Each structure stands twice: as structure tokens, then as C-alpha cells.
Amino acid sequence: MQNLDQKIFNFNIKEKIRTTNLGNIKIGGCCSFPFMKENNNMADPLIALEIPYNINEGYPDIIKLKWKDKTVEQILQNANSSEADLISVKFNLTGDLTEQEISNIKKFLKNTVSQFQKPFILRGANNNSIDLQLLPLLAENSPKECIIAFADEETYEKIVPYTAKYNHILVLRTPIDINLAKELNILSVDKGVNPDRILIDPDMGGLGYGLDYGYSIIEKIKQAAFDGDTMLNMPVIAFIGEESYRAKEAKSDTFDDNWGKYQDRAAMWEISGTSAMISAGADIVVVWNPDTVKVLKEML
Amino acid sequence: MELTGLQIFKYLPAAKKEESTNCKKCGCPTCMAFALKLAKKQIEIEKCPCVPEELKEKFAESSKIQQHEIKLSDSLVTGGETVMFRHDKTFVNRTVIAVHLDSEDKEFDIKLEKIKNYKTERIGECFKPDAVYLTGTNQKTAQNKIKNAGISVIPDSDLYTIVSADSISELEKNAKKLLEQGKTDIILELEYGHKSVAQIAEELTYIRRAAILNRYEPLTYPVMVKLPQTLDKLQACAAASVLICRYANIIVLNDFDEALLSTLFTLRQSIYTNPQKPLQVEPKIYEFNDPDRNAPVFLTTNFALTYFAVAGELESLQCGSYLVVTPSDGMSVLTAWSADKFTADLVAKSVRDYELAKKVDNRSIIIPGLLSHMKDELQEAMPEWDIVVGTIEACQIPEFIKSKEGVFS
């Protein structure tokens, strides 16, 4: 492009995405749209590999095949030696926390989170009544600073004090709406969160199930952030693995031949959705399939 | 941005209250009428003797095309984009997804047959590979075979010229040469070379900016990218997905692969959906898992996302079920309710029109939890049915059904 007038390509920003550190990694810091090296943009999106606390039948074959007969600790060990930047643990509990459960979780945190050098995302059950007990427990007992996911409009008041006290990074989820995302950021900061320790989860659908809505919200958030909105320039996190494997295209092999082999399609469904989230500007993508981590790391 | 009638009017005598206000020399009764016509390009700017230089320049600039639309065959066009982000308006012509075939390939006929027979459907839209990218020495025969199969062929020198280069500056230089020769049907091929998809996406973004934001003529043509043969299936999926999102107009895949095509078509459908017009599903009764006459009946609106969220859960249930989908202009449950697109009368009419009573012996209808306040109203409009308030979130449906065990078969 040396002979061309640079002005026809330029894009100027007023503000960059906030940066924060977690262990040995840096989150955020983008100063342009994805893949663009202008404005000295050096930040690449981070990839987290997610593993459930309880391995159960709810997971698709393609993922279970990767785990075979391994225990959760062994699977985490593999994740720790993979190319993923972070490890995400989903505490997929279904009932109230019993004393036994609480002591198991404490033991788990002690035995895994402190043992592995990769940073962790500790994720609740997507159930407000459980998460209101669970997330404070995780925040208090995690042996190191983590990302805690997620608080929403109904739970942030109770969860914020715990994550703020232990300097964890807090994921705030709002339902695919830029104004609600901004509002929850402001409310949470009022409650005591350091705005640099917030990640925006705009919620979203997976490929074929409303991905376009999440995609456009992320693009809008980035536009607003680069335009100087300091209550929207937090890094964006996308839990695309869970959404990808909700789709029947990724779960079931009852499709006709034109949809391709199940193994291929189920792998591609997450890879494609994740590539789209990165293209939209997500700063962290959380995936389920170790193959996705491999392919995307090569791509970036 | 195109100038609007009002923006043009500001420069005319009537707006400036000058002497020649509404002089009619242009043939229009007023300056405002001229401005409105000019905005729609129904009159030439020279007809008005009072147009200031500044407006002439602005008008010339705004009349330049952002990205040219190029015809690839009688049934296929590419390019013509006008925005950087889909939410600014909508993207216009879906990324052309072409499959590479070589005329010397011993399996040419078999492969062509496969491409010809490929067809999938999603949300009422039918997907087929858009074109074959043909290489090889035996072009004429192969071309005819492909065309006879009803598939477009790239390249087609009768319709356009492809300029290829591995950098933006080379592309620009080559395109300029063609423009100087008076050729305006151009496809820019950005060569992948040994670059990463991240680098290709960066270059594509620069080219699109030069076109959309700056109307820089040599780069205002559709861009084609051929995936390198070194990529395996999964890598090709990642690369092509990024290229669909990041500004490729034409993507050439090396191999025909069903899983890859169905995945990419689904992504393309999402990205090219008009964000101002929600996706809808057909309003009717949907059946899941061969429901018997006692299976539970759910009800919701025809917003595609609402439908898919509920349908996904109903499919995963052990038991059969029905889903009555109301004609609510593709609005989600609460939006439809507040816009009067989900009224008790409309629900009652839908249930009647779809003849639900003939399909089931069960006389309960489960309504969305978000509309619990409508229960009495609905009950009154449909006295023969028992209105049951369901869950707020679709993902709570399995639990809800469990709690009603014994009520349904």
C-alpha cells in the first residue's frame, strides 16, 4: 500500500478497549476491529476451553469422545497443556448446594485451580438461585484471581461485593441489547466493581440460532467503544461453545447426506460460530471442542 | 452517502431566498421539486442554471458508486455493497460460494453431479453452491457441462475481467490499467499466497473501506478469494467463515464437502439476513416426536428465534408435543403483545383456523410465561380450552413437563 494515499484506508479511534491482566495473560487492549494491525493493534482474541464440573449425558457425542473415560481432573490436565489461553470450568449443578457439595467444590478449587498455571474462568450454573450461592463461594475460595461468570440484572448486587473483594474479573450478562449492557456496567461500577475488571457478555445464539443478533451487538459495542464510550469499552466474552452445541445440527446425526457427516459438521458448527464471533470483535471466545482451539490458534 | 432532497435544496435559490427563486428554468414548478427529482436522479443537475460549484462537487462525489455490482451469470450477481456493518442497513448480495473443479480431473463428471445434486434448506431458504470455479485446459466442453447442469461458471471472460494480485497496491495498479482501457466490469482477486486468513481479512477490510467509505474507484469492485489447497477441512471452515464476515464477495472452496457447505450456508444466511426485518417462520401447528392425541400443546409467536428456542427444547423431550405458532409479523412474544400482534382474538382465531381441536383430545394450551397476565383474557376468548401458563424461558420447558408428569401422556 506504500504508493497509495493512506487516508482511503484509515480508521481513527478515540478510545481503545480496556486492558486487564489475569495471571500471565493480558485481556483486551484492542485498538481496532478484528485482524487489523493499524493503530499498533497487537491484541489477539483469547481462546478458552470449557469443561464441565460434572460430566453428564447432556454433552454431545463429539465432545464426550474427546473425554473418553477420563476424570474431570485428567481432562483439565489436558486442557492445561493445550494451546488454549484459559480454562473455563462450568459448575453445572442442578440443585441447592449441600454441605457435601460445598466441601467438594472447595477441594476441587484447591486441587485444580492452584495447580495449573493457566488462568481460569469459573462459571455458574445459569440458574440464578444456584448462582447466588455458588458464585460467592467460588469467589471466596478460589486460590487465585479468576474470571467469574456471570452476574446479570437480577444477581449483580449480591455477587459484585464478592468478586470485587477478591479482585476477580466479573462477567456481566445482558440479553442482546447494547443499552442494557451499558446500564449494567454502570450499575455494577456503582456497586464497587473496578471498570477494568468487567467483561461484557452480550448473550447470543449459536450458528443458525440467532448468531446474527449477538454478532451485531458485539460490532455495535466495539463501534461505541472506539467512539469513546468508556462504559462500553470493556472486553467482550462470548460463550459460543455452549451455544454451538445446543444446535441440533451439532448434536444429532439424523440429517440427510447433504448436511455432511456428523463428525465433520459438529466440529465445523463450533468452528464457524467461533470464527464469526472473533470476526465481530469478541475478545475472549469460550469453546468446548479442543479441535476448535487448535484450528483457531493456527488461524490467528 | 447519497444526498437527500433536502440536503440538495439548501443550495438552491428558494432556500437562500434569492432572486431566481422557483424560476422554473429547469422545467420543474419549484426548486424543491427539482431537488427531490435530482436526489432520485430523475433529472440532470445541469438543467438548473443556479447550482453552485459546491453542490456540483458534492453531488458528483455522492453519485459515485461505492461497490459495483457485477453480473457473474444470468442468475448471479455479486458486489453492490453499501455499508461496512450489517446493522447499518443490511448487506446486499450474499457471498458467492463457489467450488473448484478442474476440467482434467478424471472424476469431473462425478464431482459435477454431486455439486448439481446438493441441496439443503433452512428457514425456508434453499441452499446450493452458487458457482463452479473452473480450471484446466479442456475448458469449452467442461463449461458447457456445468452450464447445462444449471450452475454458473467462474471465470467468464464475456462478462467480466478478473485482475489478480497478492497485495492491495498491485490490485489497485492492475485495476487502474483496466479502467484506463475503458473496462468497468472487473473482479478483484486477492491472492491468498502464504498469508494467514487474519492477514487476508485485514486486506479485505482495507479494500472494503476504500470502496464504501471513500469510493476509491479502482477498489470499488467485488473481491474474490480462493482458499489455498494447503488447508484441511476444519481450517477451510474457519477461513471461509472469517471471509464471509470480513468482506469477501466471492469465496472459492477447493473441494466439495457437504458438511462444509451446509455450515457456511448457515453462517451466510445469518450474516446476510436483513437486521431490520426479523426472520419469521410460517404460522401453523408444528409437531415434535410424533405426538399422540394427548400430547401437550404449546403456543408462541412466529419470530424465528423464539420458534427455534422452543422447538429445540420440544425436540429434546422424551414425549411428543405440538407447537401452535401465531401470525405475529415475526415479533417476539412481548413485542408482539405490546404491538397488538398477539391478542386473545388472534390466538383464538389461529387455534380455530388451524383446527387444533380436531388434532388433539387434550384440551390444554400452554402459553408463554411472559404472557401470564393474558391468561384470563385468553380463557374468556377460548372457553373450550384450558389455558395453562408455561415457562418464561424455553430452556425451562423440560423441567416444566416433568412437573406435570401424569397430566400428559
Side-chain angles (χ1 to χ4, degrees):
Chain A
M1 293 189 298
Q2 49 282 20
N3 308 321
L4 283 166
D5 185 349
Q6 288 296 317
K7 266 189 281 182
I8 65 169
F9 301 114
N10 281 0
F11 175 78
N12 297 317
I13 62 164
K14 292 188 188 133
E15 194 67 58
K16 60 182 203 171
I17 303 302
R18 290 170 188 268
T19 313
T20 191
N21 289 311
L22 187 65
N24 53 0
I25 64 165
K26 199 181 95 179
I27 300 169
C30 287
C31 38
S32 183
F33 289 98
F35 311 117
M36 308 305 288
K37 298 290 170 218
E38 62 193 340
N39 310 333
N40 288 324
N41 188 22
M42 301 301 283
D44 278 333
L46 302 170
I47 302 172
L49 184 60
E50 184 161 276
I51 285 125
Y53 176 70
N54 286 319
I55 292 179
N56 59 32
E57 284 309 300
Y59 286 81
D61 290 347
I62 185 169
I63 302 298
K64 281 192 281 193
L65 214 66
K66 301 276 176 200
W67 297 337
K68 289 208 186 88
D69 303 321
K70 295 193 191 77
T71 63
V72 170
E73 283 75 16
Q74 288 167 323
I75 298 167
L76 283 169
Q77 188 74 57
N78 288 352
N80 190 53
S81 50
S82 76
E83 289 173 88
D85 301 294
L86 304 103
I87 300 172
S88 174
V89 179
K90 175 161 179 174
F91 288 84
N92 51 342
L93 310 177
T94 48
D96 280 344
L97 290 179
T98 57
E99 283 304 318
Q100 182 60 45
E101 192 84 76
I102 289 172
S103 114
N104 289 347
I105 290 173
K106 284 182 182 170
K107 212 184 296 166
F108 175 87
L109 292 173
K110 210 171 121 204
N111 290 342
T112 55
V113 175
S114 57
Q115 301 300 314
F116 299 144
Q117 79 269 22
K118 279 200 205 296
F120 271 74
I121 301 173
L122 303 177
R123 203 175 156 216
N126 282 23
N127 175 321
N128 282 353
S129 72
I130 297 174
D131 288 350
L132 280 173
Q133 305 170 59
L134 177 62
L135 297 189
L137 176 76
L138 296 174
E140 273 188 325
N141 291 284
S142 171
K144 62 183 183 195
E145 286 171 12
C146 291
I147 296 172
I148 303 277
F150 51 78
D152 64 14
E153 187 195 16
E154 283 167 24
T155 58
Y156 78 95
E157 283 178 291
K158 294 206 172 109
I159 291 171
V160 158
Y162 290 92
T163 57
K165 184 174 169 195
Y166 297 96
N167 200 30
H168 296 304
I169 297 172
L170 177 62
V171 176
L172 294 174
R173 175 176 280 195
T174 39
I176 349 183
D177 185 305
I178 185 168
N179 298 317
L180 293 179
K182 181 170 174 172
E183 190 184 299
L184 190 57
N185 287 344
I186 294 171
L187 291 172
S188 302
V189 169
D190 284 349
K191 280 275 158 211
V193 187
N194 173 353
D196 289 336
R197 299 297 265 181
I198 290 176
L199 299 179
I200 301 174
D201 173 4
D203 209 350
M204 65 192 48
L207 182 59
Y209 294 82
L211 175 130
D212 40 324
Y213 293 83
Y215 181 93
S216 283
I217 289 298
I218 296 176
E219 285 197 326
K220 282 186 196 174
I221 289 173
K222 293 294 159 185
Q223 273 186 310
F226 294 143
D227 203 32
D229 193 328
T230 55
M231 273 301 133
L232 278 172
N233 68 338
M234 293 76 174
V236 168
I237 185 168
F239 292 93
I240 187 70
E242 177 169 82
E243 295 304 326
S244 299
Y245 287 107
R246 243 187 242 282
K248 61 177 190 289
E249 287 85 346
K251 273 196 307 212
S252 142
D253 57 0
T254 57
F255 284 78
D256 83 55
D257 292 349
N258 278 329
W259 285 87
K261 292 193 199 88
Y262 167 72
Q263 287 295 333
D264 289 339
R265 188 180 62 240
M268 289 177 182
W269 213 254
E270 184 182 66
I271 289 173
S272 185
T274 309
S275 303
M277 285 301 118
I278 291 174
S279 299
D283 299 271
I284 304 179
V285 287
V286 185
V287 305
W288 279 11
N289 192 336
D291 289 342
T292 306
V293 177
K294 215 169 131 252
V295 170
L296 293 182
K297 277 289 169 188
E298 285 160 359
M299 178 174 97
L300 298 166
Chain B
M1 277 295 181
E2 308 269 314
L3 291 178
T4 64
L6 273 180
Q7 284 167 330
I8 294 171
F9 177 70
K10 279 187 208 149
Y11 291 92
L12 301 178
K16 296 196 260 178
K17 304 212 160 61
E18 286 169 359
E19 234 172 76
S20 43
T21 289
N22 300 333
C23 69
K24 301 187 180 58
K25 280 180 190 151
C26 61
C28 301
T30 60
C31 290
M32 181 57 98
F34 172 78
L36 293 174
K37 272 197 170 183
L38 184 61
K40 288 188 201 154
K41 311 223 162 65
Q42 291 166 345
I43 195 164
E44 283 151 27
I45 193 163
E46 290 77 21
K47 293 265 188 212
C48 171
C50 310
V51 167
E53 273 310 307
E54 196 189 343
L55 176 61
K56 275 187 196 160
E57 276 167 32
K58 282 211 161 144
F59 185 73
E61 186 57 33
S62 81
S63 306
K64 278 199 213 158
I65 289 172
Q66 289 171 292
Q67 191 184 48
H68 291 262
E69 205 167 63
I70 301 293
K71 207 169 143 179
L72 296 176
S73 74
D74 285 339
S75 54
L76 189 62
V77 293
T78 185
E81 298 303 334
T82 60
V83 291
M84 291 300 290
F85 298 99
R86 61 185 292 280
H87 63 255
D88 287 339
K89 199 171 178 184
T90 180
F91 289 146
V92 183
N93 289 308
R94 295 175 311 180
T95 322
V96 170
I97 296 179
V99 180
H100 173 235
L101 260 186
D102 193 286
S103 61
E104 306 299 301
D105 191 331
K106 288 196 187 75
E107 290 176 36
F108 179 90
D109 291 329
I110 303 169
K111 287 184 176 170
L112 178 61
E113 194 63 16
K114 271 192 178 172
I115 294 171
K116 187 186 157 188
N117 292 333
Y118 179 94
K119 191 180 146 192
T120 49
E121 211 190 298
R122 201 163 202 295
I123 324 181
E125 199 185 333
C126 177
F127 302 138
K128 291 169 86 60
D130 300 295
V132 164
Y133 183 86
L134 183 65
T135 56
T137 48
N138 198 5
Q139 293 258 350
K140 211 69 238 142
T141 332
Q143 224 172 43
N144 287 335
K145 278 187 189 166
I146 299 167
K147 284 185 180 165
N148 288 339
I151 304 167
S152 306
V153 185
I154 302 174
D156 189 333
S157 54
D158 292 341
L159 292 171
Y160 50 86
T161 310
I162 298 178
V163 297
S164 307
D166 66 357
S167 72
I168 298 177
S169 53
E170 281 298 307
L171 267 184
E172 184 245 13
K173 213 160 67 187
N174 297 344
K176 258 185 180 166
K177 271 185 214 150
L178 283 182
L179 289 169
E180 278 159 20
Q181 294 164 20
K183 288 191 179 146
T184 52
D185 294 316
I186 301 171
I187 302 280
L188 307 169
E189 187 203 343
L190 181 62
E191 289 169 355
Y192 211 103
H194 296 293
K195 286 176 276 192
S196 70
V197 65
Q199 286 167 296
I200 296 289
E202 181 181 25
E203 290 177 335
L204 287 168
T205 307
Y206 283 130
I207 295 174
R208 187 63 69 88
R209 274 188 201 161
I212 302 295
L213 304 178
N214 294 296
R215 300 167 200 255
Y216 181 66
E217 175 74 12
L219 298 176
T220 54
Y221 293 89
V223 187
M224 173 168 80
V225 178
K226 291 192 285 204
L227 294 189
Q229 274 166 350
T230 47
L231 301 184
D232 67 25
K233 269 188 222 178
L234 298 187
Q235 292 168 325
C237 176
S241 298
V242 168
L243 297 181
I244 287 173
C245 298
R246 295 283 106 176
Y247 310 129
N249 298 93
I250 304 170
I251 299 172
V252 180
L253 306 175
N254 271 306
D255 291 304
F256 173 84
D257 181 273
E258 289 92 344
L260 180 58
L261 285 171
S262 59
T263 305
L264 295 179
F265 286 142
T266 306
L267 177 63
R268 185 183 68 176
Q269 183 179 43
S270 294
I271 301 299
Y272 280 78
T273 300
N274 185 344
Q276 275 131 26
K277 225 175 82 191
L279 272 179
Q280 310 187 12
V281 295
E282 188 193 340
K284 64 173 189 179
I285 299 175
Y286 292 83
E287 299 182 1
F288 300 92
N289 305 335
D290 297 324
D292 63 23
R293 298 185 64 84
N294 285 312
V297 178
F298 290 81
L299 186 135
T300 194
T301 71
N302 71 328
F303 177 40
L305 283 189
T306 306
Y307 168 80
F308 281 117
V310 178
E313 297 300 336
L314 296 184
E315 243 162 46
S316 72
L317 294 178
Q318 299 294 327
C319 66
S321 57
Y322 297 92
L323 178 60
V324 178
V325 170
T326 59
S328 303
D329 289 357
M331 292 181 193
S332 65
V333 169
L334 277 182
T335 323
W337 169 73
S338 55
D340 276 344
K341 298 289 178 191
F342 191 94
T343 60
D345 285 346
L346 180 127
V347 172
K349 185 176 180 303
S350 305
V351 167
R352 240 184 357 257
D353 291 352
Y354 305 155
E355 301 187 319
L356 178 66
K358 284 189 186 165
K359 287 194 163 203
V360 293
D361 297 331
N362 160 29
R363 281 294 172 266
S364 296
I365 296 180
I366 303 159
I367 63 166
L370 284 171
L371 297 179
S372 54
H373 57 278
M374 281 186 79
K375 183 178 191 286
D376 295 344
E377 210 181 319
L378 285 164
Q379 194 61 73
E380 205 172 301
M382 299 189 287
E384 66 279 29
W385 296 91
D386 180 23
I387 304 299
V388 178
V389 175
T391 63
I392 290 176
E393 298 282 345
C395 61
Q396 299 161 332
I397 288 176
E399 221 170 295
F400 173 81
I401 284 291
K402 227 190 239 170
S403 72
K404 300 271 172 183
E405 211 155 353
V407 178
F408 305 110
S409 60

